[in-house]
């Protein structure tokens, strides 16, 4: 991976829904930079625009205005097709509800992103080996031929993480990855993400849970479409609620709450 | 890649086995219908042309066309074929292998204590075996001299001979037909059932014997020596069109009628087969339309189920898009599913159609012939149906917004 540029760089990202009276600015100028190897949490109350931001960062959506550079490539105006291709190549997504395909085994679910890969296609056997290795790396080598409904929630989420990793993406985006899990399984998943971070992966997760956010290195706080806090998170210190400490605003973000 | 797409499609169809099968039912029925119906019509056609050809080859049929008369009017005494035309054609036309005319009657035959009722007595000329492709097994057929002299002789079909004489040699024996005694001079070889006539169940005799002894007197008086149909066998290498032309000219001359309104009608075997074929072709086209409608309905069924499937699998589509599937990938996936579904229906339909054709043939006794191009046509149209009716659902799937699709419950 190229070290010269950040993994994520956005310039004044805006997302506007509707027009005229009914116009809603879901994102109202977000500028942020995430470097290679960072572990970042995006927090914010519901309706704050954090999901919209995640969708744009995940290349599932396009900003109305502003620019988004993913791994040095400007993708803001990509077509649907190009966005799909860049998703497959650069992004591994983890969802709250795992989103495994129930008809496929764990192994086949992990193979799915390889199936849609356009460049450096692997032979069937290579792909299988790679998917199996990914399952082993999340501790599920012995569950490769189980179907999702034969796995616990935590195990399903680990399969989903293996799937996110299988194309060796530049960025892992996790949307409430522990939202459906009990505390024990949540701990396992968070440890797994921390291990991946320790291996040098860049991870951005969206959460409303301060405990989850506390496991990351940096917390971005979104409210009303603005980035109102960007704070590095020293894990040796006791947990500070990000909302309480949301004083320091990013200088590039305009603060206008006149809506 | 293609193998993977196919496997993917196969897997998702297998996930809903019953539904997939029911969906393909329309296509199965359509394809099977095409094959069975084509098999029936091809079998019928083959049976018809075979029976027409087995009457003998290169035949020309000349029939009388009487001028129309109103009710109560006496038919005009002129017009139509006469018995002497037979001799004229035989003598004056080149390239003719045989000319015959026949007149039949239903008779009762007695020999000793054996009585057979309702037997067909067929009066013919000497050329009859040549024209109809019959051969004499023992003894001989009668000659034209015997016809002219009204000799009371008979030639027996194989079955009749067995019924009357069993193991005895019938040649030289006498049978009583109604009240007339006929001497048996020959037995024909087995011919079997041809065009609805069992040639083995007939007693053959000189036509003039029938005219004199077995035609109801009133009818005989009215008909005189007029005949309804003369059959001409053309020599194998002769030009049949030329022979037809010569016969036409000869008869127009003899009957003293104009070429524009002759009192007879000439058809060749080829004309008859062509006419039959056009009838079966009309029938076949109708069947093909019926089958097409069935395929269309099958296609709509596939489209319906594919649309349901797209809705059900919205989240799956969203996820596939999230992990890098482009809209084309999604479209190809669903199109492939529709195609696999319809081809599967096509294959099953071919199996059902072939089995159904045999079964129908066995049960009904009708001849069925599996037509290879019917299989080709129906399979191709099944594929076409898949692509055509899979397109809309596939487009819908491809057009889904991944964000909305991922959140779909």
């Amino acid at each position: 991976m190229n070290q010269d540029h950040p993994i994520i760089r956005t310039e004044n990202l805006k997302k506007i829904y509707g027009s005229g009276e009914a116009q809603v600015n879901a994102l109202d100028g977000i500028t942020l930079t995430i470097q290679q190897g960072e572990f970042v949490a995006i927090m914010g109350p519901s309706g704050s625009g954090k999901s919209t931001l995640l969708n744009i960062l995940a290349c599932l959506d396009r900003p109305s205005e502003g620019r988004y550079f993913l791994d040095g490539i400007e993708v803001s105006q990509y077509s649907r097709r190009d966005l799909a291709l860049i998703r497959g190549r650069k992004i591994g997504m983890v969802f709250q509800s795992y989103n495994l395909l129930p008809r496929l085994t764990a192994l086949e679910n992990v193979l799915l992103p390889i199936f849609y890969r356009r460049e450096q296609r692997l032979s069937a056997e290579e792909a299988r080996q790679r998917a199996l290795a990914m399952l082993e790396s999340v501790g599920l080598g012995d569950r490769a031929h189980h179907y999702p409904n034969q796995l616990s929630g935590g195990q399903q989420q680990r399969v989903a993480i293996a799937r996110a990793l299988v194309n060796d993406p530049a960025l892992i985006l996790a949307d409430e990855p522990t939202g459906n899990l009990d505390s024990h399984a949540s701990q396992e998943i968070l440890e797994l993400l921390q291990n991946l971070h320790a291996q040098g992966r860049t991870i951005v997760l969206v959460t409303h849970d301060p405990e989850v956010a506390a496991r990351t290195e940096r917390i971005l706080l979104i409210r009303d479409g603005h980035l109102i806090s960007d704070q590095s998170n020293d894990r040796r210190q006791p947990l500070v609620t990000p909302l309480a400490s949301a004083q320091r605003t990013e200088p590039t973000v305009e603060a206008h709450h006149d809506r | 890649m293609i193998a993977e797409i196919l496997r993917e499609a196969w897997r998702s169809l297998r996930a809903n086995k019953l539904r997939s099968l029911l969906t393909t039912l329309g296509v199965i029925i359509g394809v099977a219908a095409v094959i069975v119906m084509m098999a029936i019509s091809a079998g019928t056609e083959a049976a018809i042309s075979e029976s027409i050809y087995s009457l003998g080859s290169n035949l020309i049929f000349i029939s009388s066309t009487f001028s129309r008369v109103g009710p109560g009017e006496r038919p005009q005494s002129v017009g139509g074929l006469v018995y002497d035309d037979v001799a004229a054609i035989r003598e004056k036309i080149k390239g003719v292998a045989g000319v015959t005319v026949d007149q039949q009657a239903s008779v009762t035959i007695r020999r000793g204590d054996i009585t057979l009722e309702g037997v067909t007595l067929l009066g013919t000329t000497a050329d009859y075996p040549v024209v109809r492709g019959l051969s004499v097994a023992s003894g001989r057929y009668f000659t034209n001299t015997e016809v002219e002299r009204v000799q009371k002789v008979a030639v027996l079909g194989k079955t009749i001979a067995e019924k009357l004489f069993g193991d005895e040699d019938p040649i030289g024996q006498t049978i009583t037909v109604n009240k007339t005694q006929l001497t048996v001079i020959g037995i024909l070889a087995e011919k079997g059932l041809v065009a609805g006539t069992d040639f083995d169940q007939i007693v053959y005799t000189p036509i003039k014997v029938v005219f004199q002894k077995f035609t109801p007197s009133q009818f005989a008086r009215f008909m005189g020596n007029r005949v309804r149909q003369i059959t001409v066998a053309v020599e194998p290498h002769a030009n049949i069109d030329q022979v037809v032309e010569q016969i036409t000219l000869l008869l127009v001359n003899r009957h003293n009628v104009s070429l524009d309104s002759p009192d007879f009608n000439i058809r060749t075997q080829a004309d008859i087969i062509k006419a039959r074929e056009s009838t079966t072709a009309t029938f076949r086209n109708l069947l093909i339309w019926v089958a097409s409608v069935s395929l269309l309905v099958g296609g709509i069924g596939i489209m319906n189920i594919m649309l349901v499937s797209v809705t059900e699998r919205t989240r799956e589509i969203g996820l596939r898009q999230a992990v890098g599937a482009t809209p084309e990938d999604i479209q190809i996936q669903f199109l492939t599913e529709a195609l696999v579904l319809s081809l599967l229906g096509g294959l099953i339909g071919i199996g059902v159609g072939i089995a159904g054709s045999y079964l129908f043939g066995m049960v009904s006794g009708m001849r069925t012939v599996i037509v290879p191009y019917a299989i080709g046509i129906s399979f191709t149209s099944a594929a076409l149906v898949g692509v055509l009716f899979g397109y809309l659902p596939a487009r819908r799937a491809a057009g889904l917004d991944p964000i909305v699709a991922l959140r779909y419950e």
Side-chain angles (χ1 to χ4, degrees):
Chain A
M1 248 168 267
N2 199 329
Q3 301 290 329
D4 297 344
H5 48 252
I7 295 294
I8 290 176
R9 186 159 69 85
T10 72
E11 287 174 7
N12 200 29
L13 278 188
K14 289 190 181 177
K15 185 71 185 179
I16 301 161
Y17 292 111
S19 60
E21 289 288 299
Q23 183 171 317
V24 176
N25 293 13
L27 289 183
D28 207 357
I30 301 271
T31 301
L32 62 84
T33 302
I34 294 173
Q35 300 294 340
Q36 161 78 36
E38 278 195 272
F39 189 8
V40 182
I42 297 176
M43 295 193 74
S46 49
S48 61
K50 64 179 194 298
S51 294
T52 307
L53 178 59
L54 181 84
N55 286 338
I56 292 173
L57 294 183
C59 295
L60 289 166
D61 203 356
R62 275 182 296 234
S64 309
E65 281 175 39
R67 310 219 282 171
Y68 172 26
F69 295 87
L70 171 64
D71 204 14
I73 307 161
E74 188 181 356
V75 297
S76 342
Q77 300 308 322
Y78 264 27
S79 68
R80 283 190 65 192
R81 180 188 148 81
D82 290 336
L83 282 177
L85 294 176
I86 202 111
R87 283 197 295 269
R89 211 162 69 216
K90 299 280 185 192
I91 294 169
M93 275 211 83
V94 179
F95 304 91
Q96 178 173 2
S97 50
Y98 333 128
N99 273 330
L100 300 179
L101 299 190
R103 284 181 286 107
L104 307 188
T105 63
L107 183 66
E108 289 163 340
N109 267 291
V110 176
L111 275 166
L112 211 53
I114 298 182
F115 179 71
Y116 291 114
R117 193 152 128 178
R118 289 294 202 284
E119 42 203 39
Q120 295 162 31
R121 288 195 60 84
L122 305 175
S123 75
E125 188 49 37
E126 284 169 335
R128 220 182 104 84
Q129 290 305 327
R130 176 152 183 80
L132 213 51
M134 286 301 133
L135 277 175
E136 269 156 20
S137 77
V138 299
L140 287 174
D142 56 336
R143 296 282 197 277
H145 299 293
H146 286 55
Y147 286 91
N149 61 10
Q150 297 168 314
L151 299 172
S152 72
Q155 287 171 330
Q156 289 188 48
Q157 194 59 297
R158 281 193 274 160
V159 173
I161 290 171
R163 180 180 64 194
L165 291 171
V166 78
N167 270 349
D168 194 21
L171 172 67
I172 292 176
L173 283 172
D175 186 5
E176 302 273 12
T178 58
N180 281 8
L181 299 175
D182 61 30
S183 60
H184 177 71
S186 294
Q187 289 308 317
E188 278 183 5
I189 294 301
L190 289 172
E191 270 163 35
L192 181 55
L193 290 175
Q194 280 178 322
N195 287 340
L196 291 173
H197 167 55
Q199 289 163 22
R201 298 269 175 197
T202 311
I203 304 172
V204 174
L205 65 79
V206 169
T207 185
H208 61 266
D209 183 349
E211 277 188 55
V212 172
R215 306 288 286 264
T216 65
E217 286 181 327
R218 179 180 170 196
I219 298 172
L220 303 173
L221 189 63
I222 310 281
R223 182 177 281 173
D224 296 332
H226 296 273
L227 180 63
I228 59 165
S229 153
D230 180 355
Q231 162 178 81
S232 81
N233 186 11
D234 189 341
R235 262 178 281 152
R236 285 164 303 181
Q237 297 221 332
L239 182 70
V240 183
T241 11
L243 283 171
S245 62
Q247 317 293 336
R248 196 176 62 101
T249 44
E250 187 73 23
T252 51
V253 175
E254 282 179 56
H256 50 91
H257 298 281
D258 49 350
R259 282 195 295 116
Chain B
M1 189 70 181
I2 290 169
E4 282 166 322
I5 292 172
L6 281 174
R7 199 166 52 224
E8 219 16 65
W10 178 243
R11 191 203 300 275
S12 71
L13 295 177
R14 273 193 42 186
N16 273 312
K17 283 198 200 78
L18 182 65
R19 185 209 273 179
S20 300
L21 190 73
L22 290 176
T23 307
T24 55
L25 211 55
V27 175
I28 293 175
I29 291 172
V31 167
V34 171
I35 291 173
V36 171
M37 291 175 172
M38 294 285 268
I40 293 171
S41 82
T44 311
E45 221 167 278
I48 289 170
S49 52
E50 200 169 279
S51 70
I52 290 173
Y53 277 117
S54 65
L55 291 175
S57 58
N58 294 331
L59 296 189
I60 297 172
F61 303 95
I62 312 163
S63 18
S64 294
T65 50
F66 292 103
S67 50
R68 283 178 183 280
V69 289
E73 276 181 59
R74 284 185 65 85
Q76 289 167 3
S77 53
V78 291
L81 299 169
V82 293
Y83 178 73
D84 292 342
D85 289 337
V86 174
I89 290 169
R90 187 169 34 230
E91 281 156 24
K92 296 196 175 145
I93 307 292
K94 275 181 203 144
V96 167
V99 186
T100 190
V101 61
D102 55 53
Q103 177 76 36
Q104 68 176 51
S106 180
V107 295
T108 302
I109 296 178
R110 274 189 306 276
R111 187 254 162 184
D113 50 2
I114 302 168
T115 304
L116 299 176
E117 285 181 8
V119 176
T120 301
L121 179 71
L122 194 68
T124 75
T125 59
D127 287 348
Y128 194 80
V130 177
V131 175
R132 288 298 196 208
L134 303 170
S135 53
V136 178
S138 65
R140 60 179 181 83
Y141 208 76
F142 43 83
T143 63
N144 277 325
T145 316
E146 284 168 319
V147 174
E148 293 310 317
R149 289 183 182 166
V150 201
Q151 293 285 320
K152 296 195 183 73
V153 293
V155 176
L156 305 181
K158 188 167 183 289
T159 314
I160 291 282
E162 278 165 7
K163 279 183 185 165
L164 291 175
F165 294 98
D167 294 337
E168 282 178 68
D169 182 9
I171 308 289
Q173 309 246 33
T174 306
I175 56 173
T176 309
V177 179
N178 288 359
K179 286 167 186 163
T180 309
Q181 298 228 321
L182 300 181
T183 308
V184 177
I185 58 166
I187 310 292
L188 293 183
E190 189 167 352
K191 173 78 173 176
L193 197 66
V194 174
T197 307
D198 186 351
F199 283 86
D200 300 337
Q201 295 267 31
I202 294 176
V203 175
Y204 303 84
T205 194
I207 188 164
K208 289 207 164 174
V209 174
V210 177
F211 282 153
Q212 279 194 3
K213 302 279 180 188
F214 301 102
T215 309
S217 52
Q218 215 177 358
F219 184 67
R221 231 182 292 129
F222 162 57
M223 291 294 290
N225 55 1
R226 233 167 265 163
V227 293
R228 257 172 297 177
Q229 188 180 51
I230 296 173
T231 309
V232 178
V234 178
E235 277 175 353
H237 302 293
N239 182 337
I240 195 157
D241 292 332
Q242 227 161 39
V243 175
V244 167
E245 205 182 303
Q246 286 174 16
I247 293 175
T248 309
L249 287 174
L250 175 75
L251 292 181
V252 162
N253 234 332
R254 279 176 62 84
H255 297 183
N256 202 14
V257 291
S258 86
L259 255 175
D260 302 327
S261 58
D263 54 354
F264 56 90
N265 174 25
I266 300 191
R267 286 175 308 158
T268 63
Q269 216 164 10
D271 293 336
I272 295 173
I273 289 169
K274 217 180 284 170
R276 292 279 197 159
E277 271 172 0
S278 83
T279 318
T280 49
T282 312
F283 179 61
R284 192 173 54 220
N285 288 342
L286 182 76
L287 296 183
I288 287 173
W289 274 109
V290 171
S292 305
V293 169
S294 169
L295 270 175
L296 189 76
V297 172
I300 292 170
I302 285 181
M303 179 160 72
N304 196 10
I305 288 300
M306 290 306 295
L307 283 172
V308 170
S309 174
V310 168
T311 308
E312 274 182 358
R313 288 155 68 190
T314 300
R315 268 182 89 95
E316 172 187 332
I317 294 163
L319 176 88
R320 285 176 185 274
Q321 292 184 324
V323 301
T326 62
E328 302 96 89
D329 287 334
I330 302 293
Q331 187 167 347
I332 287 169
Q333 183 193 342
F334 279 88
L335 213 51
T336 307
E337 266 180 47
L339 195 62
V340 167
L341 211 55
S342 61
L343 289 187
L344 204 70
L347 279 179
I348 297 175
I350 287 173
V352 170
I354 291 175
S357 301
Y358 279 120
L359 208 69
F360 184 83
M362 263 162 54
V363 171
S364 70
M366 275 170 80
R367 178 122 65 105
T368 53
V369 176
I370 306 289
V371 189
Y373 80 86
I375 294 176
I377 284 176
S378 53
F379 194 70
T380 311
S381 25
L384 222 62
V385 158
V387 173
L388 210 66
F389 291 95
Y391 182 75
L392 180 71
R395 270 301 291 269
R396 181 170 290 187
L400 284 174
D401 179 350
I403 303 168
V404 178
L406 277 166
R407 261 190 233 126
Y408 185 84
E409 291 303 327

